[in-house]
Amino acid sequence: MIVDQAAGPPDTAPRPGHVPVVIVGAGPVGVTAALLLARRGVRTVVLERHHDVYPLPRAVAADDEVRRILQAAGVQEEFAALARPARGLRLLDARHRVMAEFPRAAQGAHGFPQTSMFDQPELERLLRDALARTPRCELRGGAEVVGVDQDGGGPDGGGPDDDGTIRVTYRDDAGEHLLRADAVLGCDGAGSRTRDAVGAAWEDLRFEERWTVVDVRTSLPVRCWEGVDQICDPRRPATFMRIGEDRYRWEFRLRDDSELDHARLRELVAPWVDLAPGADFTVLRQARYTFRARIADRWRRGRVFLLGDAAHLTPPFIGQGLCAGLRDAHNLTWKLARVLRQGADERLLETYESERKPHARHVIRLAVAMGWAMTGGQDGAAAVRRGVLSAAVRIPGLSTAAARDLGPVLAAGPLVHRRARRRGRSLVGGFCPQPWVTVDGRRVRLDELLGDSFALLTAVPPTPSLRAVAAGLGARTVPVAGLGDDGRLAAWLRAGRADAVLLRPDRVVMDVVPSGAGDLTGTADWASLLHTTRSPLPSRRSVEEGLSRSTT
């Protein structure tokens, strides 16, 4: 992929004990954040209390938006080699009759299968391999963080350091160490120590159930439809999915905490596989989990941020736990890099929580609703539910609509200008699709052409003021005509009644040029946040002149 035009020259020699960003936790969210920051010229140290990848499977599903994020991190090709596209989701009754089916497309708007199954340890290994190849990233294993202090006295303590840095204390086999950082990303899971440093508390979204998860490897013929089965049986709800060539997962809500012996497991999996004594059926993991729905009441304090499970916990029924964390990383990293490397306004960082928290809450509520559909009510309620679902799925287009992307349009904010919205057809706040395009005779995905910074897609010749804004942002200007995408981007612009769109680095539409208008609609709202004071972008004067001309 093309390296960010705004990444700039290599970092200057670091001060002893200082690193621009410390990331606490080397799971997929933390390592992806490090890779995304590295592409924008920001050095990181990742601190992980374990020495190696946790070897047992956990997360198993990714959507097409997350595949696009992995593309931005530079690991998409490796991930494609281990991912398995899934057909979608089925809701089954207690007798395993199909109540509803929600198909997922082989290629979604982001250019990848709408649902892909994978093995989390394999994903973590390829992410760490990429981290090891990246000079701006350093992973320190066996390093347990014991303190994060940006005030000189804990979360409620005294004044900041003279140099404004955050102190991160960690222990390893050699003793206790101190790092000073300009920012800290807490990607350290549900038991996050960073959450304590932020002073955050959990908001309970009122779902808590104990389930048993069983991961299996077998060569036996398994009856599956290459998607996810949700068994909506209040007495014995369950989930089943195929993960890999010979890998499968079952999740059961059981009435007691007893271990599953062979006889009971055989009974539970009988609808999918005939498990004769001595058959090739290896249980890789059997674990009991408490599925919870929670969200932190605050995600940031100063330049300490929460991401992933440190900020939100979702039941697994729609496969969005890990996906939500990777969305956090994609949303935050470009903003943080622009502040640290290019001197953008500190208020830019406030948009992380205001944009991501409503979406995280939305996804958690969807997962809780699915959980209650599977497990809530008695037999009478289950019968009513089956009737309602059976009638609903016969409505034309409903199943397709229910299976659309789980990323709703971002709410209005400084980086989502919504005054351009007309008759509900504005593109602002949504994602730009990613078709295949032709560049110098090569077929590549759109983001490989756009690079890692801002981009201006236009169906008409840009005005001088529009060119000035693009130059001030370091945005690549790309005419949509002649891209070899079968006219997909041009049709998308026409449907949104726009002559051009300004894309953020995370490929969200920040602003539009309405048809016939000639210029962007909301420059005055976001220009002050994105204005930069340091190279490699144009000088302060040229940026101010370009942005002020557009505003005028």
Side-chain angles (χ1 to χ4, degrees):
M1 287 183 64
I2 300 168
V3 177
D4 182 3
Q5 302 172 75
D11 291 316
T12 57
R15 302 189 298 275
H18 174 270
V19 63
V21 178
V22 168
I23 298 175
V24 185
V29 175
V31 177
T32 299
L35 294 173
L36 292 171
L37 286 168
R39 295 182 69 84
R40 293 176 169 83
V42 179
R43 292 185 299 109
T44 60
V45 169
V46 184
L47 302 176
E48 170 57 49
R49 62 191 181 97
H50 298 293
H51 286 280
D52 200 0
V53 169
Y54 184 71
L56 298 179
R58 288 159 290 163
V60 294
D63 59 26
D64 54 329
E65 182 187 341
V66 164
R67 292 282 296 264
R68 192 173 188 176
I69 295 170
L70 294 176
Q71 176 191 356
V75 297
Q76 156 52 29
E77 297 303 324
E78 294 94 331
F79 182 76
L82 61 88
R84 185 183 189 90
R87 291 176 57 184
L89 168 69
R90 296 192 308 186
L91 303 183
L92 310 181
D93 66 10
R95 297 172 61 184
H96 286 237
R97 296 174 300 185
V98 177
M99 301 163 62
E101 184 174 309
F102 305 103
R104 301 293 276 169
Q107 180 166 311
H110 296 280
F112 300 99
Q114 283 190 302
T115 299
S116 299
M117 312 305 292
F118 66 94
D119 180 53
Q120 182 169 337
E122 292 182 347
L123 170 61
E124 292 198 33
R125 289 188 190 97
L126 76 85
L127 286 170
R128 290 199 184 191
D129 288 346
L131 196 75
R133 298 190 301 266
T134 306
R136 288 190 175 100
C137 301
E138 179 186 352
L139 171 62
R140 300 183 186 179
E144 182 177 5
V145 172
V146 296
V148 177
D149 182 10
Q150 60 181 331
D151 293 323
D156 300 311
D161 285 351
D162 291 340
D163 59 0
T165 58
I166 304 158
R167 296 183 298 281
V168 180
T169 308
Y170 70 94
R171 294 195 194 102
D172 60 15
D173 294 340
E176 191 165 283
H177 310 273
L178 175 66
L179 286 175
R180 294 180 180 273
D182 297 319
V184 173
L185 308 188
C187 307
D188 44 347
S192 169
R193 180 177 291 273
T194 315
R195 191 170 56 249
D196 296 335
V198 168
W202 283 125
E203 177 188 347
D204 190 349
L205 299 183
R206 302 180 64 183
F207 185 93
E208 185 169 320
E209 291 185 349
R210 290 181 64 80
W211 285 59
T212 294
V213 178
V214 182
D215 285 286
V216 167
R217 174 174 283 119
T218 181
S219 60
L220 296 174
V222 179
R223 295 178 285 276
C224 67
W225 77 300
E226 300 297 341
V228 178
D229 285 342
Q230 303 277 25
I231 314 305
C232 300
D233 178 5
R235 295 171 302 169
R236 185 177 289 173
T239 303
F240 165 72
M241 66 203 76
R242 184 176 187 173
I243 300 172
E245 189 65 30
D246 60 351
R247 286 277 319 285
Y248 303 87
R249 170 174 289 185
W250 283 269
E251 299 171 355
F252 303 102
R253 192 190 70 178
L254 304 178
R255 293 181 180 275
D256 56 67
D257 291 335
S258 61
E259 291 288 332
L260 289 179
D261 58 21
H262 183 81
R264 193 176 188 195
L265 182 58
R266 178 181 177 181
E267 173 195 354
L268 290 172
V269 304
W272 295 277
V273 59
D274 299 320
L275 187 55
D280 173 27
F281 194 84
T282 303
V283 176
L284 301 176
R285 179 189 67 149
Q286 177 184 320
R288 289 191 296 271
Y289 283 94
T290 300
F291 296 159
R292 294 185 172 93
R294 294 179 176 177
I295 192 165
D297 61 352
R298 61 187 302 174
W299 292 22
R300 173 197 178 214
R301 187 166 186 264
R303 287 191 182 172
V304 181
F305 304 87
L306 303 179
L307 295 82
D309 285 355
H312 41 75
L313 297 174
T314 180
F317 304 119
I318 57 173
Q320 285 291 302
L322 176 60
C323 296
L326 293 180
R327 287 185 175 97
D328 295 342
H330 202 209
N331 183 286
L332 174 61
T333 49
W334 73 265
K335 300 170 182 177
L336 183 59
R338 197 164 185 92
V339 170
L340 296 181
R341 293 279 289 158
Q342 297 164 233
D345 195 298
E346 195 82 12
R347 293 175 299 152
L348 180 61
L349 302 177
E350 297 174 4
T351 65
Y352 165 60
E353 181 175 345
S354 65
E355 291 183 350
R356 283 295 305 135
K357 191 173 183 179
H359 177 239
R361 186 185 296 274
H362 170 77
V363 167
I364 293 171
R365 285 175 171 164
L366 284 178
V368 169
M370 181 64 74
W372 282 117
M374 292 173 61
T375 67
Q378 301 302 315
D379 288 353
V384 172
R385 183 171 59 245
R386 173 178 168 79
V388 171
L389 279 172
S390 298
V393 296
R394 289 195 292 269
I395 299 174
L398 180 62
S399 293
T400 302
R404 285 176 185 162
D405 295 336
L406 293 170
V409 173
L410 293 181
L415 300 181
V416 179
H417 179 64
R418 301 297 286 278
R419 288 202 298 269
R421 194 171 181 86
R422 297 180 180 180
R423 291 183 290 278
R425 303 186 66 181
S426 174
L427 302 176
V428 176
F431 280 96
C432 171
Q434 183 182 208
W436 287 87
V437 298
T438 301
V439 179
D440 298 330
R442 294 187 306 118
R443 294 291 286 170
V444 299
R445 290 186 171 90
L446 176 65
D447 289 357
E448 297 181 55
L449 169 65
L450 300 183
D452 296 324
S453 188
F454 289 85
L456 180 69
L457 295 182
T458 179
V460 298
T463 62
S465 60
L466 196 56
R467 290 195 193 99
V469 171
L473 291 172
R476 175 168 294 188
T477 301
V478 178
V480 298
L483 284 178
D485 65 338
D486 297 324
R488 185 176 170 190
L489 290 172
W492 175 67
L493 288 174
R494 284 196 303 273
R497 300 181 181 180
D499 284 339
V501 292
L502 182 61
L503 304 181
R504 306 178 346 176
D506 55 7
R507 300 304 162 232
V508 170
V509 178
M510 185 168 74
D511 205 346
V512 300
V513 177
S515 296
D519 282 312
L520 298 165
T521 61
T523 315
D525 293 337
W526 46 258
S528 62
L529 295 186
L530 298 174
H531 168 81
T532 58
T533 60
R534 297 197 293 270
S535 61
L537 292 184
S539 69
R540 180 185 183 111
R541 179 178 177 182
S542 63
V543 171
E544 289 175 339
E545 289 177 348
L547 294 179
S548 63
R549 270 201 306 272
S550 178
T551 303
T552 303

